[in-house]
Amino acid sequence: MTVLQLQGTKLEQKRISKPLSLVRLFLASVGIFFIVAMHYFQHNPGGSGLELSFNASAWIPFSFAISCGLLEICRQKIWRYSRMTLILFGSCLLLSLPVFYANADGFGTSNRLLTLWAGFLFFISLQQFVFTHNQRQRLLWFITIAVLIEAAFGWYQFLGLSAHNRFGYDVIANRPYGIFQQPNVMASFLATGLVIAAYLLARLPRYRGKWAWQHLILLAVPVVTIPLLVVLNSRTGWLGASIGSLLMLPYLFRFAAKYQQRMWGLMLLLGMALAWQFSSTTNSSFSQDVRITLDSPREIHIPQAYEMFTTKPLTGYGYGKFEVTYITQTALWHQRDPSHQAAGIPSLDHPHNELLFWAVEGGIVPLLGLIIAALAVMISIKKAPNSTQLALVGLFFPIVLHTQLEYPFYHSLAHWIMFIILIFWVDNLTTKYHRYQTQYVLALKVSAITIPIMVTSFMITTLYSGWLLTKFETTRPVDINYLVKVNNPWAWQDRFEWDLHHTQLQVGIATNKPQLVTDYIIWANQKALTWPRPALYQNLVLAYNDQGNTAQAEQVAAEAQQLFPSLTQLSAATTTTSPAK
């Protein structure tokens, strides 16, 4: 009777109701992200972030997923959080703090910090829903389906495309990068999918001794991904897939039935056999140039970045200033001692190591933030049952390895979202959630409505402006109208400014208009302070020579030779059409 009297009163502890509509909308947004949006193709000149069209399109369902989480807080008037939530919030604060240093370029690092906090909001959104077992599993299934789609696209690139195809795919090198336009990013994506497939297989028993269609999908993953990993010739992918799979074996032996273990082993062998067959019979770059050593430019720029960090460990060189400080610092070291200090690598805007990137720009504070977040995830994994711990480490391994050798989170938003989902997966398995009741949700309601509207508008104009810039760069003769119609230059700042001022220089020289050349010189001198590219110096030398200022042209050429000693002597005879990436 007492229980009946408590019902409907303030004495009863408020429970989380099951918001079926919002759960479905959230899962639909995540599903559209992995199954549709991240595979969008649009011609572009390469790069990272929003310069790659699939990232811009993927932001749209990503923003809707965040909005669903915020609306759920408003609906329940309860914020669900865990200890991991608070730790990650503190880590994000530490990662953001150096943007307020005097040496920071806030605009230059805005995209990175916005993506960081968007990822944290997505993590919070995941925590607001009381998923059923099948709904929680669906998050990993979305990733698996996305991997199969990219694998199919990769095989189409490798076997089905001819020269001068509409995707601009290089059939001579023939390293199928899928939508990612970078083989190592494709490889770590496939490797993560391979490990997740093994994990899901162990969690999917047969019903009454019968195979389900889900089993067939999971067993197809190693057959289509392993040969493609060999074709990609990515050491990052090989190591991630191999070690991740080995870490998953104890979990399979513990939880998968014998016939599932045998079938998985058979599919692995079949995948390796197909890989051997392709490597023996296919005439492509991977079969002709199998690199078995780890020699790479990383042996140059990673130690250089570490030395930069040890030179300024407290404050770093300033957020958003890695490229300019790297090329000037390495040039100074090389000039002092050419025999022991290699020249810096031109156009390097990331040291290919995520820890060093934040440490060089921001010093010890963001490095502590990353270490604290990593330790929190490791402690959560340690709380899992002994038979599960290695498997959880295996889920993270391909992406974590890739972050220490390149920068996948900047090339692919999908990698960032996968990583957050895996953190949520581990936290959800091992944590106890707390509830904070709040009555003031107006700001959250406004944010939930405005975030998807603003993000969608921005990304659509980003895609449109990118299409216009590509048309401008590829149309001959040049049609300036494409450049005039660009309506979102903020997303394409470097590329838009380069196209605009490079064209200005060409027109000024061709039509003998010295004012246009002077305007280019003013812009280029200012741009070189934050964006020192060889092509920029090349054109600056040309501009000074066109004005008859040979002394200044020689000075700029000498400075360029000091910054880029690995390149040949700059010549003012011709201009470059695009900056080196």
Side-chain angles (χ1 to χ4, degrees), residues 13 73 100 245 289 309 313 330 337 354 358 373 378 393 395 408 431 459 490 516 535 548 556 564 572:
Q13 183 179 5
I73 297 176
F100 299 104
S245 297
D289 179 27
F309 167 62
T330 53
D337 191 359
E354 197 63 22
W358 292 88
M378 291 173 63
V393 173
L395 291 175
T431 195
M459 295 306 161
W490 300 279
L516 293 178
V556 172
F564 317 113

Side-chain angles (χ1 to χ4, degrees), residues 156-234:
Y156 175 61
Q157 289 174 326
F158 184 65
L159 299 175
L161 291 181
S162 58
H164 309 294
N165 55 82
R166 65 189 184 94
F167 295 105
Y169 176 73
D170 186 355
V171 297
I172 303 301
N174 210 11
R175 297 181 69 191
Y177 44 64
I179 198 65
F180 300 108
Q181 300 182 206
Q182 212 280 344
N184 288 333
V185 180
M186 174 71 158
S188 64
F189 189 72
L190 297 178
T192 303
L194 177 63
V195 177
I196 289 177
Y199 182 78
L200 286 175
L201 184 66
R203 300 172 62 90
L204 187 68
R206 288 199 303 178
Y207 179 69
R208 293 182 178 179
K210 295 182 180 180
W211 292 95
W213 60 268
Q214 292 96 329
H215 291 100
L216 300 178
I217 292 176
L218 295 176
L219 291 173
V221 172
V223 179
V224 298
T225 57
I226 292 177
L228 204 54
L229 285 169
V230 174
V231 166
L232 281 165
N233 194 22
S234 167

